[in-house]
Amino acid sequence: MVNKESKRNNKNEPIRPRQFRSWIQGLATFVTNIHFPNFFKGTIYEGAAKAVCVPGLNCYSCPGATGACPIGSFQAVVGSSKFNFAYYVTGLMILFGVLTGRLICGFLCPFGWFQDLLNKIPSKKFSTEKLKALRITKYIILFGVVWFLTAVVVTDTGIVPPYFCKYVCPQGILEGGIPLSIANPYIRQALGALFTWKFAGLMLIIILSIYFYRPFCKWICPLGAFYALFNKVSFYKIHFNKDSCIACGKCKTACKMDVDIRKTQDALECIRCNDCVNVCPTDALSTSFENIKIKRKE
Amino acid sequence: MVRNMKKEKRKIYGINRNFISFFILVIAIGFIVYGAMRGEASTVLVKAVKVCLECVGIG
């Protein structure tokens, strides 16, 4: 058995992306919102790239947004008078899901990164282990609010509002409402009760994120719920070698999503942050894309 | 022994996991092409290039 600390000191040790997760999250957020000057102009990007969905939860009304939000786009298509199902957006989400599963939550989602940063604020941290029952809420939101309400409710105009974006999503306020209202006086004048409601929701998520790890991802996010369904079949996998495991329990302690990776490597809640892989002293845990295994050299 | 364990893990309900992954990948690509062909991408673009009033809290 080789000690991991001694291996880390080995200069021949290859650099792993998971060691720079926070930087990757920052880069992904930047790329997802690359039209930075629009923040000062109070406008949004209007180019053709907006026809393509980005993998993470990123409001298309963010001044810098490069592409479209998958959840917003799904509701826009299903809620339009022309279509009753969004094959294009669903196909894109399935594509992202089957390639990586919830790796997107761990590495690419701007709102996930935002919550990670909030959780780094020094304070007492509370476990969500006893609140596991709340996890089902995000599936109810996915199938009930995002799909069912949008597909079934009939309005006079034939156009159904995006209920999740309108009443729940805090990302729209954080990335869209706040920066646009600061830079654009016309939007600022139009703000009313709905903004207050959503702003209060955002504040609640911010406060909870300081004390709990990723409350929005665990309990509310419909996009995370969708990608979770693909953790079992995604090309990106986490492997567990039982023979190398010394049952130290470090992986379970390190997991802020309350997953015991030794029991299941495809847990719905696993956001593939790789914290468990990083702390394993015996390299019993490893990751791979399809058959290309990414593991430290013996 | 370890090799056998890995082989078992790769199966879901007796079907090779990689086969399922590729099958889902093909379905995803099919959905994208079919959706784009019937004009869904244009609907996404039209929605995404305008400020979404509901999203930003105007209504």
Side-chain angles (χ1 to χ4, degrees):
Chain A
M1 194 177 300
V2 186
N3 186 298
K4 196 167 190 172
E5 289 305 316
S6 64
K7 280 212 249 170
R8 276 187 184 143
N9 295 330
N10 185 352
K11 285 181 182 174
N12 296 325
E13 183 69 19
I15 295 167
R16 306 293 181 200
R18 59 174 173 256
Q19 294 163 346
F20 305 98
R21 188 165 76 93
S22 197
W23 289 100
I24 293 170
Q25 288 174 292
L27 183 66
T29 302
F30 177 71
V31 173
T32 313
N33 296 285
I34 206 148
H35 303 283
F36 204 74
N38 287 345
F39 280 98
F40 302 100
K41 293 179 197 167
T43 55
I44 64 169
Y45 166 64
E46 296 175 352
K50 278 274 182 86
V52 182
C53 298
V54 294
L57 193 77
N58 196 81
C59 186
Y60 41 37
S61 290
C62 171
T66 314
C69 168
I71 295 296
S73 302
F74 181 89
Q75 290 177 109
V77 175
V78 176
S80 74
S81 54
K82 286 194 283 184
F83 306 106
N84 51 18
F85 191 73
Y87 288 98
Y88 172 69
V89 181
T90 308
L92 280 171
M93 290 199 293
I94 294 173
L95 180 69
F96 296 139
V98 80
L99 288 176
T100 66
R102 289 189 80 180
L103 182 77
I104 290 161
C105 306
F107 279 82
L108 302 179
C109 180
F111 202 68
W113 185 51
F114 178 64
Q115 289 171 91
D116 278 2
L117 293 177
L118 288 168
N119 197 252
K120 285 179 181 169
I121 295 172
S123 70
K124 185 173 169 58
K125 306 298 173 194
F126 297 94
S127 167
T128 51
E129 188 101 37
K130 288 178 182 171
L131 301 170
K132 278 184 178 176
L134 289 175
R135 290 171 178 180
I136 200 169
T137 317
K138 62 177 177 287
Y139 299 99
I140 294 169
I141 290 172
L142 173 65
F143 292 107
V145 181
V146 174
W147 175 72
F148 186 76
L149 275 185
T150 318
V152 170
V153 171
V154 180
T155 60
D156 296 338
T157 57
I159 299 167
V160 182
Y163 290 106
F164 175 77
C165 300
K166 188 171 182 178
Y167 296 110
V168 185
C169 186
Q171 184 70 319
I173 289 293
L174 178 69
E175 286 192 323
I178 293 172
L180 282 175
S181 60
I182 290 170
N184 190 325
Y186 299 108
I187 290 178
R188 194 161 56 240
Q189 285 166 11
L191 301 179
L194 186 62
F195 180 85
T196 310
W197 162 258
K198 289 192 71 181
F199 187 79
L202 174 65
M203 285 300 120
L204 181 65
I205 296 291
I206 287 174
I207 293 165
L208 286 174
S209 298
I210 296 170
Y211 297 103
F212 299 98
Y213 185 71
R214 290 200 182 209
F216 183 79
C217 303
K218 282 176 181 166
W219 305 324
I220 301 169
C221 184
L223 191 58
F226 188 86
Y227 291 146
L229 303 175
F230 294 90
N231 263 4
K232 279 191 192 304
V233 291
S234 66
F235 287 103
Y236 183 82
K237 302 175 185 105
I238 294 181
H239 305 274
F240 172 58
N241 186 346
K242 202 175 175 182
D243 296 338
S244 302
C245 181
I246 55 169
C248 63
K250 282 186 179 177
C251 51
K252 192 171 188 296
T253 312
C255 184
K256 295 173 185 166
M257 296 301 286
D258 309 320
V259 172
D260 189 347
I261 201 75
R262 294 167 300 176
K263 287 182 184 165
T264 171
Q265 292 80 59
D266 306 317
L268 295 175
E269 293 304 309
C270 177
I271 57 168
R272 276 88 190 275
C273 66
N274 281 227
D275 282 356
C276 55
V277 183
N278 288 340
V279 297
C280 180
T282 60
D283 289 344
L285 293 165
S286 59
T287 58
S288 75
F289 260 108
E290 182 46 16
N291 291 323
I292 309 156
K293 204 162 187 188
I294 307 161
K295 194 181 177 184
R296 289 167 190 272
K297 285 181 183 174
E298 292 294 330
Chain B
M1 172 85 177
V2 175
R3 199 173 286 173
N4 287 340
M5 234 167 54
K6 278 177 187 167
K7 273 187 179 175
E8 276 173 29
K9 270 185 189 174
R10 287 179 176 275
K11 296 203 171 200
I12 299 169
Y13 297 119
I15 306 167
N16 186 297
R17 177 172 160 161
N18 287 344
F19 174 79
I20 295 172
S21 303
F22 275 109
F23 182 70
I24 294 170
L25 185 70
V26 171
I27 289 175
I29 293 167
F31 269 34
I32 294 167
V33 172
Y34 176 66
M37 278 171 64
R38 65 179 203 153
E40 289 177 21
S42 308
T43 306
V44 171
L45 181 64
V46 168
K47 176 74 180 174
V49 294
K50 285 186 237 159
V51 173
C52 168
L53 298 180
E54 296 94 345
C55 306
V56 301
I58 294 174

